[in-house]
Amino acid sequence: VKELIRQCFVQFRCQLIEEKLIHQEAIFIDGTKIEANANKFTFVWKKSIEKYHQSLIEKSNQLYNELLEKEIIPEIERESDEQLSLKELAHLVQQVDDIVTEYDKEIEASSDVQKRKILRSARKYPKQVRNQLIDFVLRKQKYQQDFETFGARNSYSKTDRDATFMRMKDDYMQNGQLKAGYNIQIATEGQYALAYSLFSNPTDTRTLIPFLDEIEQHYFELPKYIVADAGYGSEQNYHDILSNRKREALITYNMYLKEQKKKYKQNKFNPDNWEYDEETDTYTCPNQKRLEFQYDSIRNDRTGFQRKFKIYECEDCSGCPFRSLCTKAKEGNNRKLIVNEKWEQQKEYVRMKLSEEKTSAIYRKRKIDVEPVFGFLKANLRFTRFSVRGKSKVENEMGLA
C-alpha cells in the first residue's frame, strides 16, 4: 500500500505539470502535529527510565559486593567495573541457584531436626538473593528494551510505541496539552500536497534534512527554491540546502521579524548594533571600550553538527556606568561576546534574498500555499486523530487522507 500511495503522489504531480497547474519553481514546506491513536496515560519518559536504570546498577553492584564479602560466590570476570551486564546477572542467578539447590539436597538427606533447622536458616539468605537477582534481570531486560524503543526520542506511548509525547496547539482556554502524536511534514505547490513524511520528533528544525532526502529519493527532484517558516531556520539547515543541495533557501530565522523593528535597531546595548573594525578584528561597546578577539570555540549540537564561534572580551568593564544594562557577568569579569561568523553570513543571505522583489514574492506565497492544506485536513475532513497504531500503518492512513 505504501508503494501504491507513493506512486499516486508521483503520478499526481506529473499530471499537475502536464496541465500546467504548477511551475516547479519552488516547494513550500510546513509541519503539523496530529494525535496518535494512543492512551493519554501510557507514557514512558526517558529521564525516568535512566534514573531507575542507574538505581538498578547501584543496587546490583552493592549486592554483588555483599555476596563476595560473605563468600557465597567466587569473583567473576566482569566486562565493566561500572555495571553488571545482563549475561553476568544471569550467571549470578545460576550460581546462587546452585547453592540453594545444594541446601535443598542436604535438608532432604538429613533426618536430624536440629541440623535441618540450621540448614533452612542458612538457606534463607541465598533464596532472598536469588529472588532479588531474578528481579534485577527482568528489570534490566525491560530497561534495555525501553532504551531501544526511545532511540533519539525522550518519550513514547505504551499503546503506540512509535508515537512521541508532543506539545499540541493550545485549546480555547490556552491549555497546551501534552499528547502522544506524530509530526507530519508536507511539501506543497499551488495548494497541492506533493510529498509527505512522518516524524517522531516534535521540533521542525531537525525534520527538514531527512524530509528533503525523502523527497529526492522517493518523489521528485527538488526545485530551485525551498520555502519554509522560521521554525526551520538553523545553521545546519541553511548549510545543507545551500552547500550540499545547491538550492536557494527562502527560510526566515527566529529573530528575523524582531530585527526589522525600530526598537531593535536603535538599542545601543545590542551587539548587532556595535561598531566592528575589520582591520583590528575588534568591536566597540557603547562606553567606547574595545572588545578584542580572544580565542576560537567549537561546539557540537545533539545531532553532531559542528559550529564554530569566535570569543571576544572587553578590555575593561570596571567602573562602567552601563554595566548593569550591558552584561550579567559577575563583578570583576568583563563582557564577553560570542560570534558565529557562518551564522551571521547565512542571516545576511536570507535578509538579502527576502529584500529582492522576485524571491520575497515567492516567500509571501508560503502562508496561502501550505497552510490551507492543513485547514482542509483538520477542519474539512475532521482528520485530527489517527485511527491506527504503528508508524507504517499511520503513514498509509496519512497518505490516503
Side-chain angles (χ1 to χ4, degrees):
V1 173
K2 190 180 177 183
E3 181 55 24
L4 286 173
I5 293 170
R6 188 193 70 81
Q7 285 179 26
C8 286
F9 271 87
V10 173
Q11 289 177 29
F12 175 62
R13 184 173 174 274
C14 294
Q15 197 67 30
L16 291 172
I17 295 163
E18 218 172 281
E19 301 285 341
K20 295 190 174 133
L21 290 167
I22 60 171
H23 306 295
Q24 303 180 76
E25 186 180 37
I27 52 163
F28 302 86
I29 291 172
D30 204 0
T32 191
K33 295 180 184 78
I34 292 182
E35 198 185 333
N37 181 0
N39 189 320
K40 291 189 193 86
F41 308 106
T42 57
F43 32 76
V44 181
W45 299 105
K46 195 176 194 173
K47 275 188 180 174
S48 300
I49 298 298
E50 281 170 350
K51 190 177 86 178
Y52 297 142
H53 187 238
Q54 191 54 42
S55 166
L56 175 70
I57 290 168
E58 286 165 15
K59 283 179 184 172
S60 56
N61 284 341
Q62 197 181 333
L63 186 63
Y64 173 67
N65 293 331
E66 213 174 281
L67 289 168
L68 290 180
E69 269 174 45
K70 293 186 178 180
E71 294 180 357
I72 291 171
I73 58 160
E75 195 171 339
I76 60 166
E77 203 176 302
R78 290 173 64 171
E79 290 172 27
S80 156
D81 294 333
E82 287 173 28
Q83 60 172 301
L84 289 156
S85 70
L86 200 57
K87 199 177 172 183
E88 287 161 356
L89 281 170
H91 181 59
L92 290 180
V93 171
Q94 189 59 51
Q95 282 186 314
V96 176
D97 190 49
D98 290 344
I99 291 161
V100 173
T101 310
E102 279 298 313
Y103 276 117
D104 289 344
K105 283 177 186 172
E106 279 184 55
I107 291 163
E108 258 177 56
S110 176
S111 56
D112 184 345
V113 175
Q114 197 58 36
K115 192 184 176 187
R116 282 163 71 101
K117 209 174 184 181
I118 292 162
L119 286 168
R120 271 201 293 270
S121 181
R123 186 185 63 176
K124 196 176 178 184
Y125 179 70
K127 270 183 95 172
Q128 285 175 343
V129 168
R130 183 180 63 181
N131 293 341
Q132 221 174 334
L133 284 167
I134 289 167
D135 178 53
F136 287 168
V137 168
L138 295 172
R139 277 169 61 191
K140 184 104 176 165
Q141 279 176 335
K142 186 192 172 296
Y143 297 152
Q144 282 185 0
Q145 282 170 358
D146 284 338
F147 287 127
E148 277 172 31
T149 308
F150 284 125
R153 301 179 294 161
N154 292 323
S155 64
Y156 76 83
S157 167
K158 287 178 191 171
T159 42
D160 183 355
R161 287 171 169 263
D162 294 331
T164 310
F165 279 83
M166 303 178 182
R167 180 74 62 195
M168 298 291 175
K169 282 264 171 79
D170 289 354
D171 63 13
Y172 300 117
M173 301 299 289
Q174 301 295 299
N175 298 317
Q177 292 178 311
L178 207 61
K179 290 178 182 172
Y182 290 92
N183 186 354
I184 287 91
Q185 298 291 313
I186 61 163
T188 69
E189 192 185 342
Q191 293 186 11
Y192 297 107
L194 306 177
Y196 77 100
S197 191
L198 268 85
F199 294 92
S200 296
N201 53 308
T203 46
D204 286 339
T205 321
R206 289 189 315 210
T207 61
L208 185 67
I209 295 170
F211 183 40
L212 292 176
D213 287 339
E214 193 155 323
I215 291 172
E216 284 192 312
Q217 282 170 24
H218 302 297
Y219 293 97
F220 53 86
E221 196 184 323
L222 291 172
K224 188 180 178 183
Y225 299 106
I226 311 289
V227 190
D229 65 15
Y232 297 87
S234 74
E235 187 184 332
Q236 188 177 2
N237 288 346
Y238 289 136
H239 174 76
D240 180 73
I241 293 169
L242 302 172
S243 307
N244 300 348
R245 300 182 202 272
K246 305 284 187 277
R247 300 292 192 274
E248 308 246 337
L250 302 185
I251 302 170
T252 52
Y253 48 90
N254 280 337
M255 295 292 286
Y256 178 75
L257 288 173
K258 202 174 181 181
E259 284 176 1
Q260 317 298 316
K261 291 181 178 168
K262 194 177 177 183
K263 189 183 173 184
Y264 185 92
K265 288 178 179 176
Q266 290 181 348
N267 180 4
K268 59 182 179 181
F269 298 108
N270 180 356
D272 287 352
N273 301 325
W274 291 359
E275 195 182 307
Y276 174 68
D277 185 352
E278 217 168 311
E279 274 181 38
T280 56
D281 192 15
T282 57
Y283 287 86
T284 307
C285 79
N287 196 27
Q288 299 308 305
K289 298 273 185 188
R290 290 195 314 164
L291 282 90
E292 293 175 348
F293 171 71
Q294 301 297 316
Y295 57 91
D296 286 309
S297 170
I298 292 173
R299 293 180 197 172
N300 291 339
D301 63 15
R302 276 194 295 178
T303 55
F305 183 72
Q306 204 174 70
R307 292 186 295 163
K308 293 178 183 175
F309 296 91
K310 289 179 85 174
I311 315 294
Y312 296 82
E313 191 176 330
C314 185
E315 52 190 345
D316 184 24
C317 283
S318 57
C320 176
F322 306 124
R323 187 182 175 92
S324 62
L325 295 165
C326 181
T327 181
K328 288 177 185 172
K330 288 177 185 173
E331 203 63 50
N333 291 347
N334 294 326
R335 168 76 151 102
K336 281 188 176 179
L337 186 61
I338 301 167
V339 178
N340 182 341
E341 285 187 334
K342 191 178 178 184
W343 175 237
E344 293 305 322
Q345 286 164 7
Q346 289 171 342
K347 290 201 291 186
E348 186 52 48
Y349 161 84
V350 171
R351 287 193 289 267
M352 183 193 78
K353 281 288 166 194
L354 296 183
S355 64
E356 290 172 14
E357 201 176 317
K358 186 188 174 185
T359 43
S360 70
I362 292 170
Y363 181 76
R364 283 199 302 273
K365 282 186 202 167
R366 190 197 70 80
K367 275 185 185 174
I368 57 160
D369 201 294
V370 69
E371 303 283 5
V373 178
F374 295 135
F376 297 142
L377 265 178
K378 290 184 170 183
N380 299 356
L381 291 176
R382 296 274 183 274
F383 192 89
T384 54
R385 192 173 190 263
F386 291 109
S387 61
V388 288
R389 292 174 178 178
K391 197 179 177 186
S392 60
K393 291 178 185 175
V394 165
E395 274 181 340
N396 288 346
E397 190 181 10
M398 188 70 230
L400 292 169

